[in-house]
Amino acid sequence: MFAHVTVLVREVMEALSPAPGKSYLDGTVGGGGHSEEILIESSPDGRVLGLDRDDEAIAATRQRLQRFGERFVGCQASFASAREVLAELGWGRVDGVVLDLGVSSHQIDSSDRGFSFRSQARLDMRMDRRQSLDAQVILNSRSAAELEQIFRDYGEEPRARRIAQAIAAARKQHAIETTADLVQLVEQEKARGRRDHHPVTQVFQALRIAVNQELREIESFLETGYEILQPGARLAIIAFHSLEDRIVKTAFRKWSRSCLCPPRALRCQCGWNQKVRLLTKKPIVPSAAEVAANPRARSAKLRVVERI
Ligand SMILES: C[S@@+](CC[C@H](N)C(=O)[O-])C[C@H]1O[C@@H](n2cnc3c(N)ncnc32)[C@H](O)[C@@H]1O
C-alpha cells in the first residue's frame, strides 16, 4: 500500500488543463495522484511520463496506473535529467509539467528508511537507494562546521552549533548509526533550549535535504527547465519549504523578464529574451478545507508559468 494524499490536485489540473493527444511530465510521481488525474482528464490518448528517484514510488505507481496501459511511462530518474529522459523516449517537448517537491508520506511512514524520528531505523534517508551518500555518511564524516551549516541552512535550527558539536563529540565514542542515536543526541541538546514543536523535526528535515541534495536538483532543473515546454505549455511547481519556494520564485521571475541587464545599462547586452509568462504573482495555497482534511498541505505553495 502506497499511502500519500495528493496536494492541490484541482489547482494543478486548472493550471495544466490536460487535453487528449497531449504529453505531460510528472517529475515527482510519488504515489501517482497527479499523474492519475492528468491521465483521466486527457482521455482517451493523453500520455504521462512519471519520474521519481525512488524505486518504490515508481513500482507502486506503475501498478496503480496499470489500467492506462502505455499512456503512462514510469522511470526512476531525477527531474533534473528530464530533458535527457524525454529525448531517449523520443517525446521531445511536453504540453505540461508538474513538480510536487519534497518527500511522500509513504517515505516518511516506511519504518525502515530512516526518514522519520518516530521509528527506529538505520540512518538512511536516501530517496534514490542507488546512491552511496546517506545520512550515516554525512553524520559520521562531515566536520562539525559542515553539520552546523546543514542544520542551520536546511532546518533553520536555532541550536545548530550545539547539536553539531554534540554529534562530533559523540561519534568519537561510537558511530551514529540509528534514528534513535540521533534523536537522543538532539533531545539532550534541545532540552536546554526552548521547545516549539518536536525537538528533532528540523534536524531530520535538514539531513534529508542534504542527503538528497534537494535544493541542488531543483536549481539544476530550473537552469533551463523551460526548454522542455512546448509554446503555450505550463509548468506548475508545488514547494513545501521556504528555501525551495524562494528558488522557484526567483527562477520564474528571471524567466519572465525580457532582459537581464542592470537597470542603468544604456542598451541591452545580455542576449536574454523572455521565456515564460508568470501566471502566479502570489503563490496559490490550499483551501482551508484541504488543510483541515490533510494537515501536510498547510505549507504548500503552487507557482505556475506558461511558455511563450
Ligand atoms: C510529495 S511527493 C509527490 C507525490 C505525488 N504528487 C502524488 O500525488 O502521489 C514527492 C516525490 O518526489 C520525489 N522526488 C524528490 N526529489 C526528486 C527529484 N529530484 N527527482 C525525482 N523525484 C524526486 C520523492 O521521492 C517523492 O516520491
Side-chain angles (χ1 to χ4, degrees), residues 39 48 62 65-74:
L39 287 161
V48 173
R62 278 194 188 129
L65 302 179
Q66 226 172 9
R67 70 184 192 278
F68 296 100
E70 291 178 358
R71 293 179 58 207
F72 176 76
V73 179

mmCIF file with all atom_site columns, all heavy atoms in Angstrom, residues 39 48 62 65-74:
data_model
loop_
_atom_site.group_PDB
_atom_site.id
_atom_site.type_symbol
_atom_site.label_atom_id
_atom_site.label_alt_id
_atom_site.label_comp_id
_atom_site.label_asym_id
_atom_site.label_entity_id
_atom_site.label_seq_id
_atom_site.pdbx_PDB_ins_code
_atom_site.Cartn_x
_atom_site.Cartn_y
_atom_site.Cartn_z
_atom_site.occupancy
_atom_site.B_iso_or_equiv
_atom_site.pdbx_formal_charge
_atom_site.auth_seq_id
_atom_site.auth_comp_id
_atom_site.auth_asym_id
_atom_site.auth_atom_id
_atom_site.pdbx_PDB_model_num
ATOM 1   N N   . LEU A 1 39 ? -4.091 11.741 -16.475 1.00 0.00 ? 39 LEU A N   1
ATOM 2   C CA  . LEU A 1 39 ? -4.482 10.680 -17.420 1.00 0.00 ? 39 LEU A CA  1
ATOM 3   C C   . LEU A 1 39 ? -6.003 10.640 -17.589 1.00 0.00 ? 39 LEU A C   1
ATOM 4   O O   . LEU A 1 39 ? -6.509 10.463 -18.702 1.00 0.00 ? 39 LEU A O   1
ATOM 5   C CB  . LEU A 1 39 ? -3.951 9.328  -16.933 1.00 0.00 ? 39 LEU A CB  1
ATOM 6   C CG  . LEU A 1 39 ? -2.427 9.173  -17.095 1.00 0.00 ? 39 LEU A CG  1
ATOM 7   C CD1 . LEU A 1 39 ? -1.881 8.056  -16.204 1.00 0.00 ? 39 LEU A CD1 1
ATOM 8   C CD2 . LEU A 1 39 ? -2.048 8.915  -18.555 1.00 0.00 ? 39 LEU A CD2 1
ATOM 9   N N   . VAL A 1 48 ? 1.491  10.376 -20.013 1.00 0.00 ? 48 VAL A N   1
ATOM 10  C CA  . VAL A 1 48 ? 2.274  10.961 -18.916 1.00 0.00 ? 48 VAL A CA  1
ATOM 11  C C   . VAL A 1 48 ? 3.574  10.187 -18.741 1.00 0.00 ? 48 VAL A C   1
ATOM 12  O O   . VAL A 1 48 ? 3.562  8.954  -18.680 1.00 0.00 ? 48 VAL A O   1
ATOM 13  C CB  . VAL A 1 48 ? 1.486  10.906 -17.580 1.00 0.00 ? 48 VAL A CB  1
ATOM 14  C CG1 . VAL A 1 48 ? 2.362  11.361 -16.409 1.00 0.00 ? 48 VAL A CG1 1
ATOM 15  C CG2 . VAL A 1 48 ? 0.226  11.758 -17.643 1.00 0.00 ? 48 VAL A CG2 1
ATOM 16  N N   . ARG A 1 62 ? 3.375  2.375  -11.162 1.00 0.00 ? 62 ARG A N   1
ATOM 17  C CA  . ARG A 1 62 ? 3.133  1.561  -12.364 1.00 0.00 ? 62 ARG A CA  1
ATOM 18  C C   . ARG A 1 62 ? 1.943  0.636  -12.130 1.00 0.00 ? 62 ARG A C   1
ATOM 19  O O   . ARG A 1 62 ? 1.100  0.465  -13.002 1.00 0.00 ? 62 ARG A O   1
ATOM 20  C CB  . ARG A 1 62 ? 4.370  0.704  -12.677 1.00 0.00 ? 62 ARG A CB  1
ATOM 21  C CG  . ARG A 1 62 ? 5.426  1.478  -13.430 1.00 0.00 ? 62 ARG A CG  1
ATOM 22  C CD  . ARG A 1 62 ? 6.447  0.504  -14.000 1.00 0.00 ? 62 ARG A CD  1
ATOM 23  N NE  . ARG A 1 62 ? 7.562  1.241  -14.549 1.00 0.00 ? 62 ARG A NE  1
ATOM 24  C CZ  . ARG A 1 62 ? 8.839  0.990  -14.264 1.00 0.00 ? 62 ARG A CZ  1
ATOM 25  N NH1 . ARG A 1 62 ? 9.166  0.017  -13.453 1.00 0.00 ? 62 ARG A NH1 1
ATOM 26  N NH2 . ARG A 1 62 ? 9.793  1.713  -14.822 1.00 0.00 ? 62 ARG A NH2 1
ATOM 27  N N   . LEU A 1 65 ? -1.412 2.656  -11.954 1.00 0.00 ? 65 LEU A N   1
ATOM 28  C CA  . LEU A 1 65 ? -1.863 3.246  -13.215 1.00 0.00 ? 65 LEU A CA  1
ATOM 29  C C   . LEU A 1 65 ? -1.882 2.233  -14.371 1.00 0.00 ? 65 LEU A C   1
ATOM 30  O O   . LEU A 1 65 ? -1.975 2.627  -15.537 1.00 0.00 ? 65 LEU A O   1
ATOM 31  C CB  . LEU A 1 65 ? -0.963 4.445  -13.569 1.00 0.00 ? 65 LEU A CB  1
ATOM 32  C CG  . LEU A 1 65 ? -0.923 5.556  -12.499 1.00 0.00 ? 65 LEU A CG  1
ATOM 33  C CD1 . LEU A 1 65 ? 0.007  6.685  -12.919 1.00 0.00 ? 65 LEU A CD1 1
ATOM 34  C CD2 . LEU A 1 65 ? -2.320 6.113  -12.218 1.00 0.00 ? 65 LEU A CD2 1
ATOM 35  N N   . GLN A 1 66 ? -1.824 0.950  -14.000 1.00 0.00 ? 66 GLN A N   1
ATOM 36  C CA  . GLN A 1 66 ? -1.793 -0.119 -14.990 1.00 0.00 ? 66 GLN A CA  1
ATOM 37  C C   . GLN A 1 66 ? -2.937 -0.014 -16.002 1.00 0.00 ? 66 GLN A C   1
ATOM 38  O O   . GLN A 1 66 ? -2.770 -0.276 -17.176 1.00 0.00 ? 66 GLN A O   1
ATOM 39  C CB  . GLN A 1 66 ? -1.941 -1.449 -14.255 1.00 0.00 ? 66 GLN A CB  1
ATOM 40  C CG  . GLN A 1 66 ? -0.979 -2.505 -14.704 1.00 0.00 ? 66 GLN A CG  1
ATOM 41  C CD  . GLN A 1 66 ? -1.081 -3.710 -13.766 1.00 0.00 ? 66 GLN A CD  1
ATOM 42  O OE1 . GLN A 1 66 ? -1.973 -3.793 -12.911 1.00 0.00 ? 66 GLN A OE1 1
ATOM 43  N NE2 . GLN A 1 66 ? -0.174 -4.646 -13.933 1.00 0.00 ? 66 GLN A NE2 1
ATOM 44  N N   . ARG A 1 67 ? -4.110 0.421  -15.507 1.00 0.00 ? 67 ARG A N   1
ATOM 45  C CA  . ARG A 1 67 ? -5.283 0.450  -16.379 1.00 0.00 ? 67 ARG A CA  1
ATOM 46  C C   . ARG A 1 67 ? -5.141 1.422  -17.535 1.00 0.00 ? 67 ARG A C   1
ATOM 47  O O   . ARG A 1 67 ? -5.892 1.360  -18.504 1.00 0.00 ? 67 ARG A O   1
ATOM 48  C CB  . ARG A 1 67 ? -6.551 0.750  -15.575 1.00 0.00 ? 67 ARG A CB  1
ATOM 49  C CG  . ARG A 1 67 ? -6.640 2.174  -15.043 1.00 0.00 ? 67 ARG A CG  1
ATOM 50  C CD  . ARG A 1 67 ? -7.902 2.299  -14.181 1.00 0.00 ? 67 ARG A CD  1
ATOM 51  N NE  . ARG A 1 67 ? -8.250 3.665  -13.842 1.00 0.00 ? 67 ARG A NE  1
ATOM 52  C CZ  . ARG A 1 67 ? -7.701 4.364  -12.841 1.00 0.00 ? 67 ARG A CZ  1
ATOM 53  N NH1 . ARG A 1 67 ? -6.720 3.829  -12.124 1.00 0.00 ? 67 ARG A NH1 1
ATOM 54  N NH2 . ARG A 1 67 ? -8.113 5.582  -12.594 1.00 0.00 ? 67 ARG A NH2 1
ATOM 55  N N   . PHE A 1 68 ? -4.166 2.329  -17.460 1.00 0.00 ? 68 PHE A N   1
ATOM 56  C CA  . PHE A 1 68 ? -3.968 3.285  -18.556 1.00 0.00 ? 68 PHE A CA  1
ATOM 57  C C   . PHE A 1 68 ? -3.015 2.752  -19.628 1.00 0.00 ? 68 PHE A C   1
ATOM 58  O O   . PHE A 1 68 ? -2.738 3.443  -20.608 1.00 0.00 ? 68 PHE A O   1
ATOM 59  C CB  . PHE A 1 68 ? -3.435 4.620  -18.003 1.00 0.00 ? 68 PHE A CB  1
ATOM 60  C CG  . PHE A 1 68 ? -4.404 5.312  -17.092 1.00 0.00 ? 68 PHE A CG  1
ATOM 61  C CD1 . PHE A 1 68 ? -4.275 5.227  -15.719 1.00 0.00 ? 68 PHE A CD1 1
ATOM 62  C CD2 . PHE A 1 68 ? -5.471 6.033  -17.615 1.00 0.00 ? 68 PHE A CD2 1
ATOM 63  C CE1 . PHE A 1 68 ? -5.175 5.859  -14.869 1.00 0.00 ? 68 PHE A CE1 1
ATOM 64  C CE2 . PHE A 1 68 ? -6.383 6.667  -16.778 1.00 0.00 ? 68 PHE A CE2 1
ATOM 65  C CZ  . PHE A 1 68 ? -6.234 6.579  -15.398 1.00 0.00 ? 68 PHE A CZ  1
ATOM 66  N N   . GLY A 1 69 ? -2.516 1.532  -19.428 1.00 0.00 ? 69 GLY A N   1
ATOM 67  C CA  . GLY A 1 69 ? -1.643 0.889  -20.423 1.00 0.00 ? 69 GLY A CA  1
ATOM 68  C C   . GLY A 1 69 ? -0.440 1.743  -20.753 1.00 0.00 ? 69 GLY A C   1
ATOM 69  O O   . GLY A 1 69 ? 0.198  2.302  -19.860 1.00 0.00 ? 69 GLY A O   1
ATOM 70  N N   . GLU A 1 70 ? -0.160 1.874  -22.057 1.00 0.00 ? 70 GLU A N   1
ATOM 71  C CA  . GLU A 1 70 ? 1.058  2.588  -22.473 1.00 0.00 ? 70 GLU A CA  1
ATOM 72  C C   . GLU A 1 70 ? 0.938  4.104  -22.340 1.00 0.00 ? 70 GLU A C   1
ATOM 73  O O   . GLU A 1 70 ? 1.888  4.821  -22.632 1.00 0.00 ? 70 GLU A O   1
ATOM 74  C CB  . GLU A 1 70 ? 1.399  2.223  -23.918 1.00 0.00 ? 70 GLU A CB  1
ATOM 75  C CG  . GLU A 1 70 ? 1.844  0.783  -24.021 1.00 0.00 ? 70 GLU A CG  1
ATOM 76  C CD  . GLU A 1 70 ? 2.141  0.350  -25.432 1.00 0.00 ? 70 GLU A CD  1
ATOM 77  O OE1 . GLU A 1 70 ? 1.960  1.161  -26.365 1.00 0.00 ? 70 GLU A OE1 1
ATOM 78  O OE2 . GLU A 1 70 ? 2.538  -0.814 -25.588 1.00 0.00 ? 70 GLU A OE2 1
ATOM 79  N N   . ARG A 1 71 ? -0.201 4.582  -21.904 1.00 0.00 ? 71 ARG A N   1
ATOM 80  C CA  . ARG A 1 71 ? -0.337 6.040  -21.726 1.00 0.00 ? 71 ARG A CA  1
ATOM 81  C C   . ARG A 1 71 ? 0.483  6.534  -20.539 1.00 0.00 ? 71 ARG A C   1
ATOM 82  O O   . ARG A 1 71 ? 0.742  7.720  -20.434 1.00 0.00 ? 71 ARG A O   1
ATOM 83  C CB  . ARG A 1 71 ? -1.820 6.401  -21.508 1.00 0.00 ? 71 ARG A CB  1
ATOM 84  C CG  . ARG A 1 71 ? -2.677 6.159  -22.746 1.00 0.00 ? 71 ARG A CG  1
ATOM 85  C CD  . ARG A 1 71 ? -4.114 6.511  -22.460 1.00 0.00 ? 71 ARG A CD  1
ATOM 86  N NE  . ARG A 1 71 ? -4.233 7.901  -22.023 1.00 0.00 ? 71 ARG A NE  1
ATOM 87  C CZ  . ARG A 1 71 ? -5.204 8.356  -21.240 1.00 0.00 ? 71 ARG A CZ  1
ATOM 88  N NH1 . ARG A 1 71 ? -6.150 7.532  -20.807 1.00 0.00 ? 71 ARG A NH1 1
ATOM 89  N NH2 . ARG A 1 71 ? -5.249 9.630  -20.906 1.00 0.00 ? 71 ARG A NH2 1
ATOM 90  N N   . PHE A 1 72 ? 0.878  5.612  -19.638 1.00 0.00 ? 72 PHE A N   1
ATOM 91  C CA  . PHE A 1 72 ? 1.759  6.016  -18.529 1.00 0.00 ? 72 PHE A CA  1
ATOM 92  C C   . PHE A 1 72 ? 3.099  5.306  -18.653 1.00 0.00 ? 72 PHE A C   1
ATOM 93  O O   . PHE A 1 72 ? 3.161  4.090  -18.812 1.00 0.00 ? 72 PHE A O   1
ATOM 94  C CB  . PHE A 1 72 ? 1.148  5.666  -17.170 1.00 0.00 ? 72 PHE A CB  1
ATOM 95  C CG  . PHE A 1 72 ? 2.084  5.999  -16.029 1.00 0.00 ? 72 PHE A CG  1
ATOM 96  C CD1 . PHE A 1 72 ? 2.257  7.319  -15.620 1.00 0.00 ? 72 PHE A CD1 1
ATOM 97  C CD2 . PHE A 1 72 ? 2.840  5.006  -15.399 1.00 0.00 ? 72 PHE A CD2 1
ATOM 98  C CE1 . PHE A 1 72 ? 3.159  7.648  -14.596 1.00 0.00 ? 72 PHE A CE1 1
ATOM 99  C CE2 . PHE A 1 72 ? 3.732  5.326  -14.378 1.00 0.00 ? 72 PHE A CE2 1
ATOM 100 C CZ  . PHE A 1 72 ? 3.889  6.650  -13.984 1.00 0.00 ? 72 PHE A CZ  1
ATOM 101 N N   . VAL A 1 73 ? 4.164  6.089  -18.613 1.00 0.00 ? 73 VAL A N   1
ATOM 102 C CA  . VAL A 1 73 ? 5.520  5.526  -18.606 1.00 0.00 ? 73 VAL A CA  1
ATOM 103 C C   . VAL A 1 73 ? 6.198  5.981  -17.320 1.00 0.00 ? 73 VAL A C   1
ATOM 104 O O   . VAL A 1 73 ? 6.282  7.190  -17.055 1.00 0.00 ? 73 VAL A O   1
ATOM 105 C CB  . VAL A 1 73 ? 6.330  6.031  -19.825 1.00 0.00 ? 73 VAL A CB  1
ATOM 106 C CG1 . VAL A 1 73 ? 7.754  5.468  -19.795 1.00 0.00 ? 73 VAL A CG1 1
ATOM 107 C CG2 . VAL A 1 73 ? 5.628  5.679  -21.130 1.00 0.00 ? 73 VAL A CG2 1
ATOM 108 N N   . GLY A 1 74 ? 6.660  5.034  -16.517 1.00 0.00 ? 74 GLY A N   1
ATOM 109 C CA  . GLY A 1 74 ? 7.334  5.382  -15.258 1.00 0.00 ? 74 GLY A CA  1
ATOM 110 C C   . GLY A 1 74 ? 8.823  5.107  -15.371 1.00 0.00 ? 74 GLY A C   1
ATOM 111 O O   . GLY A 1 74 ? 9.234  4.126  -15.989 1.00 0.00 ? 74 GLY A O   1
#
